């Protein structure tokens, strides 16, 4: 068999997984013990695995998650009000399939953004797309998009994301324009995609922060009523890490 021309052709066809598997088989003396179908199956499996890995890497890159966080790394020893059973249920990503939301509240530093990124990371591993954005930045981007004629395109792109993280909900005072833009984003996603919102404010205070009562009702109706709610509590994890670092340094 002319292996080099075959490898070149596989690379030309962008079948890099099959090419790598064929090279491995060529270096395995007892590979001839397998039938043609078995060897071909190994080549196809390798190609599928590499393609899946490339797609996942691409999804994670486009998601621009703030933290490289995975649910398996959660430390439940810290008392933060985190329900292990709920987290394990969310890890199955059925909530994404059913287009439900997740709302994560709690004081600063308790791991809200980290948990949101971990949930989005798991969704990416399961084949869904995700995107992280701070709400303040999203509002600016939407305003700019109106000026350069990209508003509809931006809304369309946001509507396509399977899991959209809106971080730091409630930190900025929303203008009338912001409220309308936020309603547009959530209306496009309601019942079609999933949204994760994180906030230092209790959900009960979100209505007042939005400002306009009518628009607040419409916005929260599309976000809160079909959502899992996680309220974290406890001391800031950043403060705990700082204490640990100080202790280690003093020793």
């Amino acid at each position: 068999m002319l292996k080099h021309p075959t490898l070149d052709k596989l690379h030309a066809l962008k079948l890099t997984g099959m090419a790598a598997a064929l090279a491995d088989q060529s270096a395995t003396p007892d590979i001839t013990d397998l039938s043609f179908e078995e060897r071909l199956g190994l080549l196809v499996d390798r190609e599928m695995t590499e393609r899946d890995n490339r797609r996942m890497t691409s999804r994670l890159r486009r998601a621009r998650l703030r933290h490289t966080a995975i649910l398996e790394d959660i430390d439940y020893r810290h008392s933060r009000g985190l329900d292990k059973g709920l987290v394990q249920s969310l890890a199955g990503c059925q909530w994404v399939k059913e287009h439900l939301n997740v709302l994560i509240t709690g004081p600063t530093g308790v791991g809200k953004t980290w948990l949101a990124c971990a949930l989005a990371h798991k969704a990416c591993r399961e084949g869904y797309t995700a995107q992280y954005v701070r709400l303040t930045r999203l509002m600016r981007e939407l305003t700019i998009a109106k000026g350069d004629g990209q508003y509809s395109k931006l809304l369309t792109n946001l509507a396509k994301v399977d899991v959209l993280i809106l971080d730091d909900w409630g930190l900025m005072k929303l203008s009338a324009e912001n409220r309308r833009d936020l309603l547009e984003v959530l209306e496009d996603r309601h019942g079609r995609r999933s949204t994760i919102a994180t906030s230092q404010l209790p959900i009960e205070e979100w209505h007042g922060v939005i400002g306009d009562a009518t628009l607040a009702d419409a916005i929260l109706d599309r976000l809160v009523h079909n959502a899992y709610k996680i309220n974290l509590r406890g001391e800031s994890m950043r403060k705990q890490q700082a204490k640990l670092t100080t202790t280690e340094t003093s020793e």
Side-chain angles (χ1 to χ4, degrees):
M1 175 182 177
L2 298 176
K3 297 184 180 64
H4 293 302
T6 300
L7 288 174
D8 291 341
K9 291 175 182 177
L10 288 173
H11 282 293
L13 292 169
K14 300 186 184 302
L15 298 174
T16 55
M18 294 186 72
L22 180 59
D24 290 344
Q25 288 188 13
S26 300
T28 305
D30 57 354
I31 194 66
T32 54
D33 294 342
L34 300 179
S35 67
F36 171 79
E37 289 79 8
E38 289 172 326
R39 293 181 62 182
L40 179 60
L42 292 174
L43 298 182
V44 174
D45 288 345
R46 180 74 166 270
E47 181 65 32
M48 289 188 65
T49 298
E50 291 210 2
R51 290 193 179 199
D52 287 343
N53 289 339
R54 287 198 298 270
R55 282 193 287 264
M56 185 182 73
T57 299
S58 177
R59 287 193 296 271
L60 288 172
R61 183 176 62 253
R62 292 196 303 269
R64 293 177 290 181
L65 301 179
R66 184 172 180 180
H67 299 289
T68 303
I70 59 175
L71 294 175
E72 292 82 355
D73 285 345
I74 292 179
D75 185 354
Y76 292 97
R77 292 174 298 177
H78 296 284
S79 180
R80 292 183 292 161
L82 193 56
D83 186 331
K84 185 175 182 179
L86 175 58
V87 173
Q88 291 177 338
S89 175
L90 293 174
C93 290
Q94 185 65 24
W95 63 281
V96 183
K97 184 177 181 180
E98 296 178 357
H99 312 310
L100 302 178
N101 303 323
V102 177
L103 310 180
I104 307 174
T105 57
T108 183
V110 293
K112 300 183 298 296
T113 302
W114 192 96
L115 179 58
C117 289
L119 289 170
H121 190 284
K122 186 60 166 66
C124 287
R125 286 155 57 191
E126 294 296 323
Y128 297 102
T129 59
Q131 183 176 336
Y132 167 91
V133 65
R134 295 182 69 242
L135 185 60
T136 51
R137 175 171 293 181
L138 177 60
M139 293 298 98
R140 288 197 300 269
E141 290 178 352
L142 288 166
T143 299
I144 293 172
K146 290 177 182 177
D148 59 19
Q150 298 296 309
Y151 184 71
S152 295
K153 181 179 179 180
L154 179 54
L155 286 178
T156 299
N157 290 339
L158 290 170
K160 291 178 180 178
V161 178
D162 293 317
V163 178
L164 177 65
I165 299 176
L166 299 178
D167 198 16
D168 288 335
W169 178 283
L171 285 188
M172 67 174 290
K173 183 177 180 180
L174 298 178
S175 66
E177 180 184 25
N178 293 152
R179 289 189 286 267
R180 290 192 295 269
D181 289 341
L182 185 55
L183 180 58
E184 288 289 341
V185 172
L186 295 178
E187 170 61 26
D188 287 345
R189 300 182 57 76
H190 180 60
R192 302 180 183 91
R193 298 290 188 271
S194 296
T195 302
I196 302 176
T198 74
S199 178
Q200 295 181 33
L201 301 175
I203 295 174
E204 294 75 19
E205 297 182 17
W206 290 10
H207 193 280
V209 169
I210 293 173
D212 182 281
T214 302
L215 286 177
D217 286 341
I219 289 170
L220 295 182
D221 181 64
R222 289 157 176 78
L223 183 66
V224 175
H225 298 150
N226 59 338
Y228 288 95
K229 302 171 183 65
I230 301 175
N231 181 36
L232 300 180
R233 58 179 182 270
E235 187 180 8
S236 168
M237 301 294 287
R238 287 189 284 270
K239 287 183 179 179
Q240 291 182 20
Q241 185 61 40
K243 290 179 181 178
L244 180 61
T245 302
T246 302
T247 301
E248 291 176 347
T249 302
S250 63
E251 292 176 352

